[in-house]
């Protein structure tokens, strides 16, 4: 049972707990201040009483009186009690009250550090889950329909940018996946366990302060002894290890299904040559992949060096705290070590963040090295295969024709082209012969087939495309497939050949 395992999603409850404990410590401090003031006033009052009695009883009797002896002894003990109360008040002021003031400052620093580190790791989590490459990736697009040299250059640059962004997105995605696991499995639990450890250390320190307070304020009268016994009993019941058990049970986080970070395949709907979770190596990205690999290796080496130095500092600080704890003379002296223990916990948080960064960089390095090694010595494949430029000196008129169901279809007027195109002779079956053949079969079922987009299923030779060109908005276009309006288009349908539909 602990903060790291049970309070991952109870950040608000932890802040309320720290605020409540700070208010409690302030109340205890006010109580001790009033107790010191009360003891000093009580000691001063007793001393004034003794002085007044000495003045009034200055005349000596000429005989020995037992009542006088008892009274004198009572006055002397009262004066001694006054000195004891004054000493107790001074010890209480310089001991538990001073330690409690330091503890309040340390606890405020613990809360500030916890909030700062939590905001930092939350911001880092959001940053790696929604990287800048993701937004740029969505906005990236290829330039299509440009046939000039200038358009080719822009298309190549745009394609290179898209592939670079794709690689950055894949790397960021890999880092985000590891960071998420590190965040929920290690970083956040470690931060919460660190907070719990500091909370328990402060409870231990508070126990020492209250223990010393009870010793200073302890008197010998039966009534005060009973009061002290109750105070001592309540103080002894303080157990730092079980202090927060009820708090944890009350604010235990409910199970939340962590969202898996996966590649958004919808981004590839218009880019068939890209693959999900795959580094793209081609003539546009080969050089940038080498640069990325070099950068990742340098960052990984720097992170590992920093990690080693921080781990060494952790060991040194732990040894220093252990040695200092052995020299503590009083129970409340543990407060003097709280700042060092807080520094140790912050250093451990830094080490954990460096380990997380190391794991992300190592995974990205492995992904890049695998792709580079797979293609070592190979020529990067081209991304864009440009077709031959098909400029035409002719341009056919075009128009939009409405369909029966309300849609529009682009049509091109090839009358001029059809006039200069030699006519082909195509064998067309005789209708009477077809009817006779159908009747002789005596079939029970007949069917007709409407082949959709039949002409567009036949590719048009590159050398024939310029004659079918047309212009729209000062831009020349041509068909890559067989157009419908050309007079020889039906002759090129494959089912006009008897071998495509059956025996002739």
């Amino acid at each position: 049972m602990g903060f790291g395992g049970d309070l991952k999603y109870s950040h608000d409850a932890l802040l309320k707990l720290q605020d409540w404990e700070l208010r409690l410590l302030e109340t205890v401090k006010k109580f001790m201040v009033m107790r010191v003031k009360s003891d000093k006033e009580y000691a001063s009052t007793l001393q004034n009483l003794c002085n007044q009695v000495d003045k009034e009883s200055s005349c000596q009797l000429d005989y020995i009186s037992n009542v006088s002896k008892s009274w004198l002894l009572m006055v002397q003990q009262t004066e001694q009690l006054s000195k004891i109360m004054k000493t107790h008040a001074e010890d209480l002021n310089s001991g538990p009250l001073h330690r409690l003031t330091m503890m309040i400052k340390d606890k405020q620093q613990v809360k500030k550090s916890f909030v700062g580190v939590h905001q930092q790791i939350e911001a880092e989590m959001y940053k790696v889950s929604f990287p800048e490459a993701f937004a740029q990736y969505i906005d990236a697009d290829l330039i299509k329909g440009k046939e000039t040299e200038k358009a080719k250059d822009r298309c190549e640059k745009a394609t290179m940018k898209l592939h670079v962004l794709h690689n950055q997105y894949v790397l960021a995605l890999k880092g985000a996946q590891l960071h998420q696991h590190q965040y929920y499995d290690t970083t956040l639990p470690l931060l919460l366990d660190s907070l719990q450890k500091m909370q328990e250390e402060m409870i231990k320190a508070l126990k020492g302060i209250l223990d010393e307070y009870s010793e200073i304020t302890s008197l010998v009268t039966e009534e005060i002894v009973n009061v002290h016994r109750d105070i001592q009993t309540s103080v002894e019941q303080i157990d730092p290890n079980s202090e927060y058990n009820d708090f944890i049970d009350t604010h235990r986080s409910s199970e939340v299904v962590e969202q898996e970070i996966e590649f958004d395949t919808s981004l590839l709907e218009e880019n068939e040559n890209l693959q999900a979770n795959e580094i793209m190596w081609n003539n546009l990205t080969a050089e940038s992949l080498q640069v990325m690999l070099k950068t990742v290796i340098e960052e990984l080496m720097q992170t590992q060096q920093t990690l080693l130095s921080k781990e060494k500092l952790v060991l040194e600080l732990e040894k220093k705290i252990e040695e200092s704890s052995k020299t503590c003379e009083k129970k409340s002296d543990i407060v003097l070590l709280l700042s060092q223990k807080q520094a140790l916990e912050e250093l451990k948080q830094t080490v954990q963040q460096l380990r997380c960064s190391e794991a992300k960089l190592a995974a990205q390095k492995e992904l890049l090295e695998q792709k580079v090694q797979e293609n070592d010595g190979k020529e990067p494949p081209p991304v864009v295969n440009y077709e031959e430029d098909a400029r035409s000196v002719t341009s056919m008129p075009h128009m939009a024709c409405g369909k029966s169901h309300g849609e529009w279809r682009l049509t091109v007027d090839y009358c001029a082209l059809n006039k200069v195109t030699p006519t082909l002779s195509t064998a067309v079956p005789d209708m009477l012969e077809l009817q006779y053949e159908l009747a002789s079969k005596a079939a029970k079922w007949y069917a007709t087939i409407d082949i959709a987009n039949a002409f567009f299923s036949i590719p048009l030779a590159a050398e024939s495309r310029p004659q079918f060109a047309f212009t729209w908005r000062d831009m020349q276009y041509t068909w890559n497939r067989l157009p419908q309006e050309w007079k020889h288009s039906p002759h090129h349908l494959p089912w006009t050949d008897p071998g495509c539909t059956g025996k002739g």
Side-chain angles (χ1 to χ4, degrees):
M1 180 180 292
F3 285 9
D6 299 299
L7 301 179
K8 292 182 181 179
Y9 309 101
S10 303
H11 182 65
D12 293 338
L14 289 171
L15 294 181
K16 290 180 181 179
L17 171 66
Q18 293 180 84
D19 292 337
W20 176 84
E21 289 183 341
L22 282 172
R23 290 194 297 269
L24 176 63
L25 291 178
E26 291 291 345
T27 303
V28 175
K29 179 181 177 181
K30 291 180 182 179
F31 174 81
M32 288 190 178
V33 170
M34 295 177 64
R35 179 60 187 267
V36 170
K37 181 180 179 181
S38 175
D39 287 352
K40 286 183 177 180
E41 291 177 353
Y42 181 55
S44 178
T45 301
L46 291 179
Q47 186 63 43
N48 291 336
L49 288 175
C50 294
N51 294 337
Q52 186 67 24
V53 170
D54 289 338
K55 290 180 181 180
E56 294 179 356
S57 60
S58 57
C59 58
Q60 297 294 329
L61 298 175
D62 55 354
Y63 65 93
I64 299 176
S65 171
N66 292 328
V67 174
S68 178
K69 287 182 180 181
S70 299
W71 174 244
L72 181 61
L73 181 62
M74 184 180 296
V75 173
Q76 290 175 351
Q77 292 298 324
T78 302
E79 186 176 3
Q80 182 65 25
L81 178 61
S82 173
K83 294 179 180 179
I84 292 174
M85 293 299 297
K86 183 178 180 180
T87 302
H88 285 183
E90 292 174 351
D91 292 341
L92 188 61
N93 186 44
S94 61
L97 183 57
H98 178 66
R99 303 284 197 278
L100 184 60
T101 303
M102 294 177 59
M103 182 177 177
I104 292 174
K105 293 181 180 179
D106 290 335
K107 192 167 186 64
Q108 291 172 344
Q109 180 61 32
V110 168
K111 178 186 176 183
K112 180 180 179 182
S113 175
F114 170 72
V115 173
V117 174
H118 188 271
Q119 291 176 348
Q120 179 183 353
I121 64 177
E122 284 286 335
E124 183 67 16
M125 180 62 185
Y126 180 82
K127 180 179 179 181
V128 299
S129 298
F130 302 92
E132 181 181 358
F134 178 79
Q136 295 179 354
Y137 190 103
I138 296 176
D139 294 335
D141 192 10
L142 295 177
I143 299 177
K144 302 176 180 178
K146 307 299 182 179
E147 300 293 338
T148 63
E149 291 296 330
K150 185 176 181 180
K152 289 181 182 179
D153 184 58
R154 290 202 300 270
C155 179
E156 182 173 330
K157 291 180 179 179
T159 305
M160 180 177 66
K161 180 180 178 182
L162 174 62
H163 283 253
V164 171
L165 290 175
H166 172 82
N167 293 338
Q168 294 175 353
Y169 177 59
V170 171
L171 292 176
L173 180 66
K174 186 69 176 180
Q177 291 172 341
L178 286 172
H179 188 91
Q180 183 188 54
H181 293 304
Q182 290 282 343
Y183 175 80
Y184 286 108
D185 297 339
T186 308
T187 304
L188 183 57
L190 181 62
L191 174 62
L192 296 176
D193 290 337
S194 173
L195 175 63
Q196 181 180 3
K197 184 175 181 180
M198 290 306 303
Q199 293 284 100
E200 292 173 352
E201 289 289 341
M202 290 190 173
I203 291 297
K204 185 177 180 181
L206 179 59
K207 179 180 179 180
I209 291 174
L210 295 179
D211 195 12
E212 186 176 350
Y213 168 82
S214 66
E215 294 177 0
I216 293 174
T217 57
S218 176
L219 300 176
V220 295
T221 62
E222 185 65 25
E223 182 180 7
I224 298 180
V225 167
N226 292 334
V227 173
H228 170 70
R229 184 179 294 112
D230 295 339
I231 295 174
Q232 186 66 25
T233 301
S234 63
V235 171
E236 290 176 352
Q237 290 177 350
I238 297 176
D239 183 12
N241 296 325
S242 61
E243 173 68 18
Y244 298 106
N245 288 348
D246 183 68
F247 174 80
I248 292 174
D249 291 334
T250 303
H251 300 281
R252 187 182 301 275
S253 301
S254 57
E255 292 295 331
V256 177
V257 179
E258 300 175 3
Q259 184 179 1
E260 294 292 336
I261 300 178
E262 298 179 350
F263 194 99
D264 188 358
T265 55
S266 63
L267 300 173
L268 305 179
E269 292 179 354
E270 298 183 1
N271 297 280
E272 299 178 354
N273 56 340
L274 297 180
Q275 299 179 8
N277 296 309
E278 182 70 23
I279 294 292
M280 303 304 298
W281 183 80
N282 48 56
N283 61 333
L284 300 180
T285 62
E287 184 177 353
S288 64
L289 286 178
Q290 293 289 348
V291 175
M292 284 184 192
L293 179 59
K294 181 179 179 181
T295 303
V296 169
I297 292 176
E298 292 176 353
E299 292 180 358
L300 180 59
M301 293 178 60
Q302 183 178 1
T303 301
Q304 290 174 341
Q305 292 175 358
T306 306
L307 179 59
L308 290 176
S309 63
K310 295 296 182 182
E311 289 176 340
K312 183 178 180 181
L313 290 177
V314 169
L315 295 176
E316 293 176 355
L317 189 54
E318 286 178 341
K319 183 178 180 181
K320 181 180 178 181
I321 292 175
E322 183 179 0
E323 293 175 352
S324 300
S325 61
K326 295 179 180 179
T327 60
C328 294
E329 298 179 357
K330 299 179 180 180
K331 294 181 180 179
S332 61
D333 287 345
I334 193 174
V335 175
L336 303 177
L337 302 177
L338 286 178
S339 59
Q340 297 182 18
K341 291 182 178 180
Q342 173 63 20
L344 176 61
E345 294 302 321
E346 292 178 355
L347 197 56
K348 289 181 179 179
Q349 286 292 326
T350 302
V351 169
Q352 174 55 35
Q353 294 177 10
L354 288 172
R355 287 174 179 171
C356 179
S357 299
E358 181 187 21
K360 290 189 297 183
L361 291 172
Q364 293 174 352
K365 173 176 172 288
E366 181 181 359
L367 199 62
L368 289 170
E369 283 184 340
Q370 181 181 1
K371 180 58 66 174
V372 172
Q373 291 175 2
E374 287 177 356
N375 299 278
D376 187 22
K378 299 180 181 179
E379 185 70 20
V383 179
V384 181
N385 293 321
Y386 296 106
E387 298 178 353
E388 292 294 330
D389 192 2
R391 294 183 179 88
S392 177
V393 295
T394 62
S395 180
M396 301 299 172
H398 64 281
M399 66 193 72
C401 294
K403 295 184 178 181
S404 59
H405 51 276
E407 295 183 355
W408 294 88
R409 181 180 66 187
L410 174 65
T411 61
V412 182
D413 184 2
Y414 288 119
C415 291
L417 178 62
N418 291 334
K419 289 180 180 180
V420 298
T421 301
T423 302
L424 296 177
S425 297
T426 304
V428 178
D430 182 66
M431 295 302 297
L432 294 176
E433 183 180 351
L434 287 176
Q435 292 176 4
Y436 174 77
E437 184 176 355
L438 290 173
S440 63
K441 297 294 183 179
K444 294 183 178 180
W445 301 96
Y446 297 94
T448 59
I449 301 176
D450 182 9
I451 306 299
N453 299 322
F455 294 141
F456 294 152
S457 65
I458 302 175
L460 190 62
E463 60 271 16
S464 300
R465 295 174 186 175
Q467 62 184 343
F468 296 101
F470 61 94
T471 303
W472 183 65
R473 292 186 178 179
D474 298 329
M475 180 65 69
Q476 190 177 74
Y477 298 89
T478 188
W479 297 97
N480 293 329
R481 300 284 176 165
L482 194 64
Q484 295 180 349
E485 294 79 5
W486 187 44
K487 70 177 184 178
H488 287 326
S489 292
H491 302 323
H492 293 280
L493 295 178
W495 46 85
T496 58
D497 182 2
C500 296
T501 57
K503 294 183 179 180

